[in-house]
Amino acid sequence: MKTPLSVLDLSPITQGSDAAESFRRTLDLARHAERLGFHRFWLAEHHGMPGIASAATAVLIGHVAGGTSTIRVGAGGIMLPNHSPLVIAEQFGTLAALYPGRIDLGLGRAPGSDQPTARALRRHLGSDVDSFPQDVLELADYLSDAPRQPVLAVPGRGANVPLWILGSSLYGAQLAAALGLPYAFASHFAPAQMMQAIALYRQQFRPSAPGGKPHVMLGFNVFAADTDDEAEFLATSMQQAFVNLRSGRPGQLQPPQAGYRERLGPQENALLDSVLSCAAVGSPDTVRRELRAFIDRTGADELMITSQVFDHVARLRSYEITAEVARG
C-alpha cells in the first residue's frame, strides 16, 4: 500500500485520568508513530471538552515536535475564526524556526466549541466564519517571503509553513481548490459529503504555483487488534464518546463496554453506522481489506488515521497493526 498514512490525535483524557497523563501518552504515541513510519502527526483544536486536552494546540505541537526528530507535526487544525491571523503566524513561525521543515498548519472555520465557549475565546463574535477566506489569505501573506501588509510577523515572515484547508462540507473543498491548497476532509466523523467534496476539489483545483497538484487527505478511523472481536470491543469507547457528544453530554473517554450497541436505539445506531462507514474495525486481515477498499473507492492521496482507544497499550498496538498491514 503506497498511500501515506498519518496520525490524528486529540490527546484524549480518559476516565479517571488528567491532561498531564494525556500529554505523556500523546508524546509516546508520536514517538511510536515516528518509529512505525507514519508521515505526519497532527493535533486538533477543541475547547471546553472534558475528554480532549489539545486546546492549546500550538503549545502541544511544540511539545511533540521537541520530543521527536523526523515526523512532520502540525495542526489538524487551528480553528482560525478563534484567532487573529497575526497571532497564528507568530506561533507557527516560531514552531517553524524551532523545527524547520517539519511543521504543518491545517485551518478550519468551525469554532471547535459551543457558542458560549467561542464567545469566551474571542470576547466577541464579530469575527464570524464568513471572513475565513480573507483570514486564510492574510495568514498566508504573513508567512510569505515578501508580505504585502505593513505589519510583520516576527517570527513568521518567510516561514512558508505549508497551509491546508480542513473541512467536512463542500465549502472547504471549494476554498481549497480556489486557493490551490491541499485539502483534508473530516470523513472520520462527518462522511456524508465526502465523495462529492473530493470530486469538487479535484475538478475546481487551480494551482497556486507551477506544477501544483490537488492533494486529498481523508480522516479514517482504525480500531485494530489481534481479533475482530477484540477490535469491536475497543471501538465502543469511541462510539460512546460520539453518542454522548451528539446528545449534548461530552465527557472523558470511557472504558469499552461489551454489547454497547445492543443497548442503543435505532437513532443512535444509525448515527454510528454513518460515522463507521469510514472505518476499519478488526483483525489485521480485516483492517487490510477495509483500508484497501476505502483507498480504492476514494482515490485518497493520504489517510489521517485516528484511533480513539481507551487503553494506551491497545492504542499503540492498533497503530502498529495499521502500519504493518500498510507495509504488507
Side-chain angles (χ1 to χ4, degrees):
M1 192 179 301
K2 296 181 179 180
T3 305
L5 301 183
S6 295
V7 175
L8 176 64
D9 184 29
L10 304 182
S11 201
I13 303 174
T14 56
Q15 180 180 298
S17 187
D18 57 20
E21 180 62 23
S22 297
F23 298 147
R24 286 190 286 271
R25 291 175 177 176
T26 283
L27 181 56
D28 189 47
L29 176 61
R31 289 169 170 164
H32 186 63
E34 184 173 72
R35 288 192 295 270
L36 291 171
F38 283 88
H39 187 46
R40 310 176 200 275
F41 190 95
W42 278 12
L43 295 142
E45 177 187 350
H46 292 276
H47 300 279
M49 298 284 193
I52 297 176
S54 53
T57 317
V59 178
L60 194 51
I61 288 170
H63 175 62
V64 170
T68 53
S69 57
T70 58
I71 195 168
R72 296 192 66 88
V73 186
I78 291 294
M79 301 298 105
L80 197 51
N82 294 338
H83 310 280
S84 152
L86 176 61
V87 169
I88 298 304
E90 291 172 341
Q91 290 177 358
F92 280 79
T94 299
L95 289 167
L98 289 168
Y99 311 106
R102 294 181 56 208
I103 302 299
D104 298 322
L105 177 49
L107 302 168
R109 69 173 186 138
S113 63
D114 55 28
Q115 285 299 302
T117 306
R119 186 172 289 107
L121 279 166
R122 308 180 207 171
R123 311 309 299 174
H124 63 84
L125 297 181
S127 56
D128 62 50
V129 296
D130 292 333
S131 65
F132 180 62
Q134 290 73 35
D135 288 345
V136 172
L137 291 172
E138 181 181 343
L139 173 58
D141 187 61
Y142 284 132
L143 294 170
S144 68
D145 292 318
R148 297 183 298 274
Q149 300 163 99
V151 177
L152 296 180
V154 183
R157 178 181 181 177
N160 291 300
V161 177
L163 300 183
W164 292 66
I165 299 297
L166 277 57
S168 57
S169 68
L170 304 185
Y171 178 93
Q174 291 173 312
L175 180 61
L179 299 180
L181 294 175
Y183 179 51
F185 188 85
S187 37
H188 60 294
F189 72 84
Q193 293 185 296
M194 176 185 68
M195 296 304 293
Q196 192 177 356
I198 294 170
L200 184 68
Y201 169 68
R202 288 180 172 147
Q203 290 165 5
Q204 297 187 4
F205 184 84
R206 298 187 309 196
S208 56
K213 296 180 180 179
H215 187 97
V216 175
M217 178 160 60
L218 301 178
F220 191 74
N221 296 287
V222 175
F223 300 91
D226 293 327
T227 68
D228 286 347
D229 287 345
E230 183 185 356
E232 294 282 357
F233 178 63
L234 294 176
T236 61
S237 293
M238 172 269 191
Q239 293 165 10
Q240 293 174 71
F242 202 80
V243 169
N244 290 340
L245 178 63
R246 289 298 176 91
S247 304
R249 298 178 283 108
Q252 294 182 332
L253 189 66
Q254 301 295 300
Q257 290 185 23
Y260 172 69
R261 293 197 63 173
E262 298 169 10
R263 299 191 292 274
L264 297 178
Q267 186 173 353
E268 290 87 355
N269 270 303
L271 177 69
L272 292 178
D273 283 340
S274 172
V275 174
L276 293 172
S277 66
C278 295
V281 183
S283 65
D285 286 344
T286 300
V287 170
R288 180 183 295 107
R289 183 173 62 252
E290 295 298 331
L291 272 175
R292 183 74 270 164
F294 184 74
I295 293 169
D296 288 346
R297 176 161 65 99
T298 62
D301 299 299
E302 188 171 344
L303 294 187
M304 179 65 74
I305 306 297
T306 181
S307 186
Q308 289 281 80
V309 171
F310 179 83
D311 180 78
H312 183 59
V313 173
R315 192 177 188 217
L316 296 178
R317 177 63 179 148
S318 181
Y319 278 106
E320 183 179 347
I321 290 172
T322 304
E324 288 171 355
V325 301
R327 284 195 298 267

